[in-house]
Amino acid sequence: MNAPARPPRRLESYVCGSWTLGAKEGPALLDAATGDPVAYVDSSGLDFAAVLEHGRRAAGPKLRAMSFHDRAGMLKALGLALMAMKEEFYAESFRTGATRPDGWVDIEGGIGTMLTFASKGRRELPNSRVLTDGDVELLSKDNSFSAQHIYSPLQGVAVHINAYNFPVWGMLEKIAPTLLAGVPCVVKPASQTAYLTELVVRRIIETGILPEGALQLICGSVGDLLDHVTGQDAVTFTGSAWTGRKLKSHPAIVANSVRFTMEADSLNAAILGPDAVAGTPEFDLFVKEVAREMTSKAGQKCTAIRRVIAPRAQLEALTAALRDRLGKTALGLPDAEGTRMGPLASYEQRNEVRDRIRELQAVAEIVAGDPDAVTLRSGDAAKGAYLNPVLLCADRPFAAAAVHEVEAFGPVATLLPYDDLGEATELARMGKGSLVSSVFTDDKRVVEEVVLGVAPFHGRVMIGNRLSAKSSTGHGSPLAGLVHGGPGRAGGGEEMGGMRGVRHYMQRTAVQGAPRMLSAVTGRWIEGADTQQGVHPFRKSLAELQIGDQLVTATRVVTLEDVEHFAQFTGDTFYAHMDAEAAKANPFFDDRVAHGYLIASFAAGLFVEPNPGPVLANYGVDNLRFLTPVYFGDSLQVRLTCKEINPRANAEHGEVRWDSQITNQHGAVVAQYDVLTMVAKVWPPVAG
Ligand code: NDP
C-alpha cells in the first residue's frame, strides 16, 4: 500500500516572514502512484517584489555579518536537525513516485550535501567574512602599491527555480553553498512535487536556525518576480531547456546582467570500451550501471544514462544482458515490499515520455520493453503514472539525429553501436554538451583517448573499472565536492564543486592599494603591511595574538659538520650535499649545499619558544619553497609573522598561519613558507 490517503492540503508559501496562501485554490497535485490529490498549489496575490526585498533587507545584512565558520556551523546544525526528521520526509516522498532508495538519494543525499558543505566550509574557508583569491600582485618596485583579489557576498538574493525530480536535494544542494556564501535564498520548487519541498521548508523554519528571510519559499508560479531582479541577485534554474532559455532571456535578467545558472536537458552517454567484452568485469559493471541509471528514480534524473555507446561486436551480448536485467525490474507502488521502480511523477510526464519514445522510434527500434503496456507487481495501472523500462537500439547512430536531441525523461535509453573508438567519442560529443558521461574499460589508452576526447563537452566524466567497482559512487551521482553542470545543451551552468559553488554567489574584485590597507580589508597579513614586535608571539594566546605580530630571530651559521651530520643522521646523502665536484657540475649550484629540510629545521630551532605555552601543535607547512642555495658558512635568520588567525567554533583553540621567511647574510630569501599551528584561545587554560 502507498502512504495512507489524507485530505489534500493547500500549499503555502513562506514569504516576508509568514506562511501565506495564494488567492486561489490552484490546481491539484496528484499522488504519482494512486492518482489521489495530495495538495493544491497557487501563489497568486503574492507581492513578489516584496519577497526579494525582504530577503535583501532582513537577512542579507545578518548573513553577511557572520563569518564563513559561523555559517558553516549554522548549516551543520540545520543538516543534523533535518536528518533527525527524515522519516517524515520519506513518507511524503512516496507520493512523488519515489521508492525508498530513490528517496534516500533525494532526502539523505540532499541533507548529506548540506552537511558536506558545512564541513568543507569549516575546513577550507577562513573564519572571516571575505575570501582572498590568489596571491598578492606586486604593482610597484618598492611594494608600496599592490593588489589582492577578494570575493565578497552578493548583496541581493539567490532565486532557485528547481525541477520536480529532486524536491529535497534540488533545494538543499543549492541553498547550502548560497547560505555559506552569505546570500539569502528564495526557493521555487516545481509545482508537481512542491508539497515535499514545502514540508521540508516548514521544518527548516521551525528550527529557528536560519535568520529570518534567509530562506523563503514560493509554491506556485513566481509571477512577476523576475521583473524585479537586479545585478546583485542570482538566478539558478533546473528543468527543461525550453523554459531555461526563456528565463535566461528575460528582459530584467538581460538588462541587469543577472547571474543565471542553467542546468537543463542532458543526453548523457555511457561508453563501453573495446576491451570490455562479455565476460570481463567491466562488461558486467556496465550492464549493472546502465540498468541502474535507467530505473533509479524511474529514469527521471538529469544525470541518467540516455545513450549507451558500445562496440558493435558486443551489441548482441549487451542487449541480451540488459533485456534480462531490465525485465526483472519490479514496477509498483513506491513503498510496497519488493518494488524496484516506482511510477513517473505524473501522468503528464508519462505522456511526455511516451511521445519522446515515439520520436526516438523514427530512428531506433525498441529491443526491450513496451511503452504502451504496463506490467505491475503492485498498484493499479489505471491510476498511477507507471512505465516499464524501454531500451531502443539505433543501428546507424550517426544518422539517428533524434537520439542525440530528444530527452525522454524516464526509464528510457538507446543503444548506439560503434566500430572504432574515434566513433565512440564522436557519438558522445553529438550530445552537444552533457552533465556527465562514463567510460567502462580496463585499458589505460582507451581511458586517455575517451576522457580527453569528451571532457570539453562535459561537467563530469566517470571511469568505470574493476579497481573502483566497490567504492565507486556511480555515473549518476552528483557529489557536493565535484562540479555539477555541463556545457552547451546541458545549460552551460555549474553548481556545487565544493567551495567553487560558494564563489558563484560572491563577487570577485581586484582591490589595489598600499599593503597595510589591503591587509585591513582581508584581515590577513601581507608583505609590507604593519608589524609589531615585543613579546615572543608563541607566548600569546588567540585572545592576545594579532595579525602582524612578528619575531625576528637570532642568526645561525650553517657548517660543513652540520650538513655531514644531517646527511648521516637522516640518510639523505644526495650528491649535491656530499660531493663537491658533482654539485659544481649541477647547473644550479657552485658547491655543496645544505639540505632544504636542514634549513627548515634550523629555522624552527631559531623561532620556537620551547616552554609549554599557548602554541599547542605544528600541523604542517604550506607553499614551502627553497629559493637560494645555502653554502657552508652562510648565516640564516628567520622572520616569523602572524598572517591569519582562525578561532575554531566550539573549541578551546584555533589555527594560526605564520609567514616564515628565511634569509642569508646578504638578505637574500633562502626559503619561504607558511607554518601552520594550533593555538589555545586563552593561556593558561581556564581550570574546569
Ligand atoms: P520545466 O522547465 O517546465 O520547469 C522547471 C522549473 O521551472 C519548475 O520549477 C517550473 O515551475 C519553473 N517554471 C516553468 N515556467 C516558468 C516561468 N515561466 N517562470 C519561472 N519559472 C518557471 O520543467 P519540468 O520540471 O516540467 O520538466 C520538463 C522536462 O524538463 C522534463 O520532462 C525533462 O525533459 C526536463 N528536465 C530536465 C532536468 C535536468 O536536470 N536536466 C530536470 C527536470 C526536468 P512549475 O513546475 O510551477 O511550472
Tab-separated table of all heavy atoms in Angstrom, residues 51-70:
chain	number	residue	atom	x	y	z
A	51	VAL	N	8.989	40.098	-1.723
A	51	VAL	CA	9.703	38.881	-1.319
A	51	VAL	C	11.214	39.099	-1.491
A	51	VAL	O	12.012	38.837	-0.588
A	51	VAL	CB	9.235	37.670	-2.164
A	51	VAL	CG1	10.098	36.441	-1.879
A	51	VAL	CG2	7.762	37.368	-1.903
A	52	LEU	N	11.591	39.601	-2.667
A	52	LEU	CA	13.017	39.843	-2.928
A	52	LEU	C	13.574	40.866	-1.938
A	52	LEU	O	14.656	40.695	-1.374
A	52	LEU	CB	13.216	40.347	-4.364
A	52	LEU	CG	12.875	39.358	-5.486
A	52	LEU	CD1	13.062	40.026	-6.847
A	52	LEU	CD2	13.745	38.115	-5.397
A	53	GLU	N	12.810	41.900	-1.728
A	53	GLU	CA	13.265	42.982	-0.848
A	53	GLU	C	13.415	42.489	0.593
A	53	GLU	O	14.349	42.874	1.300
A	53	GLU	CB	12.259	44.143	-0.943
A	53	GLU	CG	12.798	45.512	-0.670
A	53	GLU	CD	14.125	45.857	-1.357
A	53	GLU	OE1	14.434	45.319	-2.437
A	53	GLU	OE2	14.879	46.661	-0.779
A	54	HIS	N	12.498	41.618	1.004
A	54	HIS	CA	12.581	41.070	2.369
A	54	HIS	C	13.887	40.288	2.542
A	54	HIS	O	14.586	40.447	3.543
A	54	HIS	CB	11.375	40.151	2.629
A	54	HIS	CG	11.374	39.559	4.013
A	54	HIS	ND1	11.218	40.322	5.150
A	54	HIS	CD2	11.535	38.274	4.451
A	54	HIS	CE1	11.268	39.542	6.227
A	54	HIS	NE2	11.463	38.292	5.824
A	55	GLY	N	14.205	39.440	1.560
A	55	GLY	CA	15.464	38.679	1.638
A	55	GLY	C	16.648	39.625	1.721
A	55	GLY	O	17.529	39.473	2.573
A	56	ARG	N	16.649	40.622	0.826
A	56	ARG	CA	17.798	41.543	0.777
A	56	ARG	C	17.957	42.318	2.082
A	56	ARG	O	19.062	42.470	2.593
A	56	ARG	CB	17.597	42.568	-0.360
A	56	ARG	CG	17.693	41.976	-1.749
A	56	ARG	CD	17.404	43.075	-2.780
A	56	ARG	NE	17.140	42.525	-4.096
A	56	ARG	CZ	16.089	42.853	-4.845
A	56	ARG	NH1	15.179	43.730	-4.423
A	56	ARG	NH2	15.926	42.310	-6.032
A	57	ARG	N	16.827	42.809	2.618
A	57	ARG	CA	16.923	43.713	3.784
A	57	ARG	C	16.966	42.975	5.120
A	57	ARG	O	17.755	43.317	5.996
A	57	ARG	CB	15.717	44.664	3.799
A	57	ARG	CG	15.829	45.741	2.755
A	57	ARG	CD	14.701	46.749	2.875
A	57	ARG	NE	14.736	47.679	1.763
A	57	ARG	CZ	15.576	48.714	1.701
A	57	ARG	NH1	16.410	48.944	2.678
A	57	ARG	NH2	15.571	49.515	0.637
A	58	ALA	N	16.096	41.945	5.259
A	58	ALA	CA	16.003	41.291	6.568
A	58	ALA	C	17.167	40.335	6.805
A	58	ALA	O	17.718	40.296	7.904
A	58	ALA	CB	14.674	40.538	6.688
A	59	ALA	N	17.518	39.568	5.785
A	59	ALA	CA	18.505	38.501	6.022
A	59	ALA	C	19.903	38.838	5.532
A	59	ALA	O	20.885	38.416	6.146
A	59	ALA	CB	18.039	37.208	5.356
A	60	GLY	N	19.993	39.575	4.416
A	60	GLY	CA	21.313	39.837	3.828
A	60	GLY	C	22.319	40.359	4.847
A	60	GLY	O	23.388	39.762	5.048
A	61	PRO	N	22.004	41.465	5.543
A	61	PRO	CA	22.988	42.018	6.493
A	61	PRO	C	23.344	41.034	7.601
A	61	PRO	O	24.495	40.955	8.026
A	61	PRO	CB	22.278	43.255	7.055
A	61	PRO	CG	21.263	43.621	6.004
A	61	PRO	CD	20.818	42.325	5.391
A	62	LYS	N	22.349	40.255	8.069
A	62	LYS	CA	22.633	39.303	9.166
A	62	LYS	C	23.579	38.205	8.682
A	62	LYS	O	24.519	37.825	9.375
A	62	LYS	CB	21.335	38.656	9.657
A	62	LYS	CG	20.486	39.585	10.506
A	62	LYS	CD	19.331	38.814	11.103
A	62	LYS	CE	18.200	39.781	11.407
A	62	LYS	NZ	16.894	39.263	11.142
A	63	LEU	N	23.324	37.698	7.489
A	63	LEU	CA	24.192	36.628	6.971
A	63	LEU	C	25.596	37.156	6.709
A	63	LEU	O	26.594	36.490	6.995
A	63	LEU	CB	23.600	36.054	5.674
A	63	LEU	CG	22.379	35.151	5.835
A	63	LEU	CD1	21.761	34.841	4.471
A	63	LEU	CD2	22.738	33.855	6.553
A	64	ARG	N	25.667	38.365	6.183
A	64	ARG	CA	26.997	38.916	5.856
A	64	ARG	C	27.798	39.257	7.108
A	64	ARG	O	29.024	39.319	7.063
A	64	ARG	CB	26.846	40.147	4.957
A	64	ARG	CG	26.335	39.821	3.570
A	64	ARG	CD	26.560	40.961	2.604
A	64	ARG	NE	25.820	42.162	2.927
A	64	ARG	CZ	24.546	42.383	2.595
A	64	ARG	NH1	23.856	41.470	1.926
A	64	ARG	NH2	23.961	43.522	2.922
A	65	ALA	N	27.087	39.479	8.215
A	65	ALA	CA	27.799	39.780	9.469
A	65	ALA	C	28.432	38.523	10.062
A	65	ALA	O	29.306	38.603	10.919
A	65	ALA	CB	26.832	40.395	10.476
A	66	MET	N	27.973	37.369	9.623
A	66	MET	CA	28.521	36.106	10.142
A	66	MET	C	29.799	35.753	9.377
A	66	MET	O	29.950	36.124	8.214
A	66	MET	CB	27.495	34.969	9.934
A	66	MET	CG	26.192	35.180	10.679
A	66	MET	SD	24.906	34.036	10.100
A	66	MET	CE	25.331	32.548	10.987
A	67	SER	N	30.688	35.018	10.017
A	67	SER	CA	31.884	34.541	9.314
A	67	SER	C	31.532	33.250	8.568
A	67	SER	O	30.477	32.657	8.792
A	67	SER	CB	33.012	34.269	10.318
A	67	SER	OG	32.702	33.121	11.069
A	68	PHE	N	32.435	32.806	7.709
A	68	PHE	CA	32.197	31.540	6.997
A	68	PHE	C	32.000	30.397	7.992
A	68	PHE	O	31.158	29.532	7.790
A	68	PHE	CB	33.378	31.216	6.069
A	68	PHE	CG	33.462	32.124	4.883
A	68	PHE	CD1	34.467	33.063	4.782
A	68	PHE	CD2	32.519	32.045	3.864
A	68	PHE	CE1	34.540	33.918	3.689
A	68	PHE	CE2	32.587	32.889	2.763
A	68	PHE	CZ	33.601	33.831	2.683
A	69	HIS	N	32.769	30.433	9.064
A	69	HIS	CA	32.646	29.338	10.033
A	69	HIS	C	31.315	29.414	10.775
A	69	HIS	O	30.719	28.384	11.087
A	69	HIS	CB	33.817	29.368	11.013
A	69	HIS	CG	35.113	28.943	10.384
A	69	HIS	ND1	36.194	28.543	11.108
A	69	HIS	CD2	35.492	28.842	9.080
A	69	HIS	CE1	37.198	28.219	10.295
A	69	HIS	NE2	36.783	28.418	9.052
A	70	ASP	N	30.832	30.629	11.049
A	70	ASP	CA	29.504	30.768	11.681
A	70	ASP	C	28.444	30.166	10.761
A	70	ASP	O	27.549	29.446	11.190
A	70	ASP	CB	29.135	32.240	11.904
A	70	ASP	CG	30.033	32.922	12.918
A	70	ASP	OD1	30.635	32.208	13.729
A	70	ASP	OD2	30.132	34.172	12.866
